[in-house]
Amino acid sequence: MNAPKKVAFYTLGCKLNFSETSTIARSFEGEGFQRVDFSEVADIYVINTCSVTENADKRFKTIVKQAQKANPNAFVAAVGCYAQLKPHELADVDGVDLVLGATEKFKITDYLNDLSKNDFGEVHSCEIEDADFYVGSYSIGDRTRAFLKVQDGCDYKCTYCTIPLARGISRSDTLENVLKNAADISAQGIKEIVLTGVNIGDYGKGEFGNKKHEHTFLELVKALDEVEGIERLRISSIEPNLLKNETIEFVSKSNSFVPHFHVPLQSGSNAILKLMRRRYMSELYTERVAKIREVMPHACIGVDVIVGFPGETDEHFLETYHFLNELDISYLHVFTYSERDNTPAAEMEGVVPMKVRNKRSKMLRGLSVKKRRAFYESQLGSTRTVLFEGENKAGYIHGFTENYVKVKTPWNPELVNTLQEITLTEIDTDGLVRFKTTEPVLG
């Protein structure tokens, strides 16, 4: 009897990519492959690519080299966003045998007729207009939380973004299938589900392969809140214009949705928001934050922001800096603008020198540290529930409270994947929070 073929995966980019890698991995396991770690010898290496940051493009070549080092004769396949946008560029990378675009990636096992190395990379990529069907996914990367994909693609036309080119139109999973996947995840003893998608507030669109809305995001949230056995549900990232007051109010009273919102802003300057073709102005963003604070004063609010967009003057940047400084938010994810082929922003005037972009990025990262510290300090003395993770990090176990405060305590394997009621007591030198236990371990 032949030993099973081995397959290894490497994921670049977002939570959505992680959920899709897991689904692709399960299709390999269904065909009798054995999944191994990327650092081990495998017959096939699958790299799920990302196009959002400049680094992701460059890292791809490094990862291919890692695979070749582990097994020079292995078959290397590239899938994902970068594979859709620039398939031939990836196919030209030494060692790459197969490149699959947006519609083909979930059928990867169909393309593996034989695993002999190709002289050149074979490309199967669609016109992005063909990416109009939905493939549900969820990832179970660790025992603690799972990423559940509910939506894919985007109909927005932000001038800096290639995601509509890489993932196609906005489309959603059926409510029935999302609930089935949530129940499957729950049955595996996982305590937290993070909802992911490209534009999840747009959920419901394309449930039938057209623009008809059968369900809304609020209906999805309400239905998931009823699923038995899920302790926590977290909304990953939602556009401010799609985060409605009704959703915020529902989360504040919900059984399992946690008080944590990640809401992309991108710029605090209305002039720049217009150039970016965002669908709101800064005033709406202020209203959303105020609404969250009104009904959930202890909520964690994260913000995405882009610096160095074409046309961003020092005045525009300072407008963003002051806007964020005065806003009652908890942390920032700062992105340095990088040009992307086939986007309107790449053709715009007023290019900001890279040195200036980096300086602005550093300033906002500093502000983020200050904001997170202030948020953590505001939580000291409060009683929260923490979900512990599974990794021993230098003798400590880490976990997150429902409102996303990261805590630590000396390693104890019995705490892994348990929920525990604690009182937050002090901030350690590394910026994480210490606590005292108020309840016995909850299994």
Side-chain angles (χ1 to χ4, degrees):
M1 188 176 150
N2 291 339
K5 296 266 189 225
K6 293 179 178 175
V7 61
F9 297 87
Y10 197 106
T11 305
L12 291 158
C14 62
K15 295 179 175 115
L16 183 56
N17 269 7
F18 278 93
S19 79
E20 292 182 342
T21 298
S22 279
T23 298
I24 294 166
R26 285 195 291 276
S27 74
F28 271 94
E29 286 161 4
E31 300 272 343
F33 284 84
Q34 180 190 341
R35 186 176 179 176
V36 297
D37 192 77
F38 200 83
S39 58
E40 295 177 44
V41 174
D43 300 286
I44 306 178
Y45 293 92
V46 179
I47 303 165
N48 194 354
T49 63
C50 166
S51 67
V52 172
T53 62
E54 205 62 59
N55 285 349
D57 302 0
K58 290 170 185 153
R59 280 181 63 198
F60 177 74
K61 288 179 181 169
T62 312
I63 295 154
V64 172
K65 280 186 183 144
Q66 276 177 24
Q68 287 183 300
K69 198 172 168 188
N71 179 5
N73 301 315
F75 189 89
V76 177
V79 300
C81 290
Y82 195 37
Q84 174 64 34
L85 289 173
K86 301 206 169 171
H88 297 286
E89 203 171 287
L90 292 192
D92 288 343
V93 173
D94 191 37
V96 173
D97 299 293
L98 179 66
V99 179
L100 298 180
T103 61
E104 291 78 18
K105 62 189 169 192
F106 293 107
K107 301 179 287 197
I108 182 169
T109 54
D110 298 349
Y111 290 96
L112 305 173
N113 304 326
D114 65 40
L115 295 182
S116 52
K117 295 288 285 175
N118 293 330
D119 293 334
F120 52 87
E122 188 183 321
V123 172
H124 296 274
S125 80
C126 62
E127 291 302 315
I128 197 59
E129 290 75 21
D130 298 338
D132 58 359
F133 56 89
Y134 186 86
V135 178
S137 305
Y138 61 87
S139 83
I140 297 177
D142 59 30
R143 287 167 50 199
T144 316
R145 68 175 58 82
F147 301 122
L148 173 58
K149 173 181 163 186
V150 298
Q151 182 274 343
D152 200 350
C154 190
D155 293 340
Y156 287 9
K157 299 284 187 286
C158 302
T159 52
Y160 51 82
C161 185
T162 56
I163 285 173
L165 300 172
R167 284 187 170 271
I169 59 169
S170 178
R171 53 209 189 273
S172 308
D173 206 347
T174 61
L175 187 59
E176 184 188 15
N177 198 48
V178 172
L179 295 176
K180 180 193 160 297
N181 284 342
D184 287 352
I185 292 166
S186 162
Q188 298 184 49
I190 286 166
K191 302 279 198 293
E192 179 173 309
I193 291 178
V194 183
L195 302 185
T196 69
V198 173
N199 187 359
I200 63 173
D202 207 26
Y203 174 80
K205 194 185 280 185
E207 221 176 324
F208 301 94
N210 55 26
K211 290 296 170 210
K212 195 172 134 202
H213 264 267
E214 176 72 7
H215 295 100
T216 62
F217 182 69
L218 180 59
E219 286 170 331
L220 169 78
V221 164
K222 286 180 171 174
L224 279 166
D225 203 45
E226 300 295 316
V227 175
E228 290 290 313
I230 300 168
E231 302 281 350
R232 282 183 177 183
L233 285 153
R234 202 178 288 277
I235 298 167
S236 62
S237 179
I238 184 165
E239 292 284 306
N241 51 307
L242 296 174
L243 177 58
K244 306 294 188 204
N245 285 345
E246 296 85 351
T247 305
I248 295 169
E249 280 167 8
F250 180 79
V251 167
S252 74
K253 303 180 182 79
S254 136
N255 303 318
S256 41
F257 275 90
V258 295
H260 175 204
F261 294 88
H262 193 91
V263 190
L265 167 69
Q266 311 309 14
S267 176
S269 159
N270 286 344
I272 298 299
L273 287 173
K274 283 176 186 165
L275 284 175
M276 290 176 164
R277 270 194 229 146
R278 300 292 284 160
R279 296 194 175 194
Y280 53 87
M281 292 289 106
S282 60
E283 291 78 6
L284 176 94
Y285 198 92
T286 306
E287 284 171 27
R288 291 293 181 265
V289 170
K291 180 66 185 175
I292 294 168
R293 285 278 167 250
E294 178 199 326
V295 295
M296 287 170 276
H298 59 295
C300 181
I301 304 173
V303 183
D304 284 344
V305 60
I306 295 170
V307 296
F309 188 80
E312 185 185 64
T313 61
D314 284 345
E315 289 73 22
H316 292 136
F317 171 70
L318 287 173
E319 214 181 320
T320 296
Y321 187 93
H322 294 311
F323 178 76
L324 289 165
N325 193 32
E326 286 160 28
L327 210 55
D328 191 0
I329 52 154
S330 316
Y331 65 90
L332 304 172
H333 281 171
V334 183
F335 298 90
T336 304
Y337 171 74
S338 63
E339 284 76 4
R340 284 280 167 270
D341 290 348
N342 303 315
T343 58
E347 310 295 318
M348 286 181 182
E349 292 175 359
V351 173
V352 177
M354 197 49 84
K355 205 168 152 185
V356 177
R357 294 184 212 183
N358 292 338
K359 184 183 169 192
R360 289 176 185 172
S361 172
K362 200 171 173 184
M363 281 176 72
L364 282 184
R365 285 174 207 277
L367 180 62
S368 180
V369 170
K370 193 177 97 174
K371 287 282 184 185
R372 193 184 298 267
R373 176 89 189 188
F375 174 62
Y376 282 8
E377 282 174 356
S378 76
Q379 297 304 300
L380 295 181
S382 65
T383 299
R384 300 277 171 239
T385 305
V386 66
L387 175 57
F388 284 105
E389 302 192 335
E391 208 180 327
N392 182 342
K393 292 185 177 170
Y396 287 92
I397 187 168
H398 293 167
F400 284 95
T401 63
E402 65 275 34
N403 60 341
Y404 217 55
V405 173
K406 192 171 185 181
V407 304
K408 65 184 271 198
T409 198
W411 172 253
N412 175 356
E414 285 178 20
L415 293 178
V416 171
N417 198 32
T418 65
L419 286 155
Q420 184 125 323
E421 199 170 274
I422 60 166
T423 300
L424 304 174
T425 55
E426 60 178 322
I427 300 174
D428 211 338
T429 49
D430 60 2
L432 303 188
V433 180
R434 298 289 205 138
F435 59 86
K436 62 174 189 276
T437 309
T438 55
E439 284 277 321
V441 174
L442 307 172

